[in-house]
């Protein structure tokens, strides 16, 4: 019973720590920032509620993968027409390439990729260290 | 002579203010953030020194266009291969769509576009309000 309680409290604490990190609106200035920019072009027949579930699932990853230092997203409103059909953009921040290397094959990320895969026609990804 | 001196001091002050804003590593938390993400695929025969001059010219824009609240850039290091040949990514932040609408047709931006145009094979642009 004590072990169960400890596990529950530890899980709660880790979850809060994860959310706290992810919810922080800006990266800490004293840490390097590796941006991971992901844009999706959804298939024409992708239903809005499934697109919404993709956004929700992506936004849940920072709570599951503690290496994600920051997460933000939004929908395209560029008037320039160079978005190649992509409507949704997500920018994740890591503090190291090692953290990104943990994220990419992480089971929670793999699960997300399996969810989004059938819905997208195209994906654009670019990563860069903020110079 | 006094007018000249005043103009020089005012220009210096405005330039510093512009740089201060642009150099600020993070957006102020009390202001909304409209991200403007731009990625370039340079032509295969584009010389490195001309690519470097593009980066330098882009990085100079926040000092010329005060509506740019923040500027960052870096070169692609994603292992995923979804960057569509784009090697350079630039993220500008505005605090309003009006500020972006001033930026896009701004003479300094137009001058930059004329510089980069002949060197790029493809461009990806996506803008989003951070939700």
């Amino acid at each position: 019973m004590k072990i169960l309680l400890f596990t529950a409290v530890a899980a709660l604490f880790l979850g809060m720590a994860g959310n706290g990190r992810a919810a922080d609106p800006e990266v800490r200035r004293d840490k390097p920032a590796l941006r991971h920019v992901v844009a999706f072009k959804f298939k024409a027949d992708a239903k809005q509620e499934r697109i919404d579930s993709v956004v929700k699932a992506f936004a849940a990853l920072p709570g599951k993968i503690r290496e994600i230092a920051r997460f933000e997203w939004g929908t395209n409103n560029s008037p320039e027409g160079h978005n190649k059909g992509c409507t949704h953009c997500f920018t994740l921040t890591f503090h190291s390439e090692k953290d990104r290397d943990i994220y990419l094959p992480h089971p929670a990320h793999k699960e997300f990729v399996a969810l989004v895969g059938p819905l997208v026609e195209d994906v654009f990804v670019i990563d860069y260290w903020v110079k």
Side-chain angles (χ1 to χ4, degrees), chain A:
Chain A
M1 185 64 190
K2 267 187 186 168
I3 290 173
L4 270 178
L5 188 66
F6 173 79
T7 308
V9 170
L12 187 69
F13 179 77
L14 286 171
M16 283 171 66
N19 287 337
R21 231 184 358 265
D24 188 50
E26 301 299 342
V27 173
R28 289 175 54 189
R29 295 186 183 202
D30 55 345
K31 292 209 175 185
L34 174 60
R35 306 286 191 214
H36 173 61
V37 180
V38 179
F40 292 139
K41 176 184 181 178
F42 288 100
K43 288 177 182 166
D45 62 356
K47 290 200 168 60
Q48 189 58 47
E49 67 178 42
R50 294 200 66 191
I51 293 174
D52 293 345
S53 73
V54 163
V55 170
K56 199 174 166 185
F58 212 160
L61 289 185
K64 299 175 180 178
I65 306 174
R66 49 186 301 126
E67 283 75 16
I68 300 171
R70 189 165 164 249
F71 173 90
E72 65 175 47
W73 78 282
T75 52
N76 181 53
N77 77 348
S78 167
E80 297 185 90
H82 296 304
N83 54 309
K84 299 188 183 302
C86 292
T87 54
H88 289 61
C89 188
F90 304 82
T91 300
L92 283 66
T93 300
F94 300 98
H95 289 318
S96 71
E97 288 179 31
K98 192 182 157 208
D99 284 353
R100 182 190 58 193
D101 294 346
I102 290 169
Y103 163 78
L104 288 174
H106 192 288
H109 181 234
K110 288 281 185 198
E111 195 180 335
F112 169 72
V113 170
L115 174 79
V116 70
L119 298 176
V120 295
E121 186 179 312
D122 204 3
V123 182
F124 176 82
V125 179
I126 194 163
D127 295 2
Y128 64 93
W129 279 107
V130 175
K131 295 199 185 250

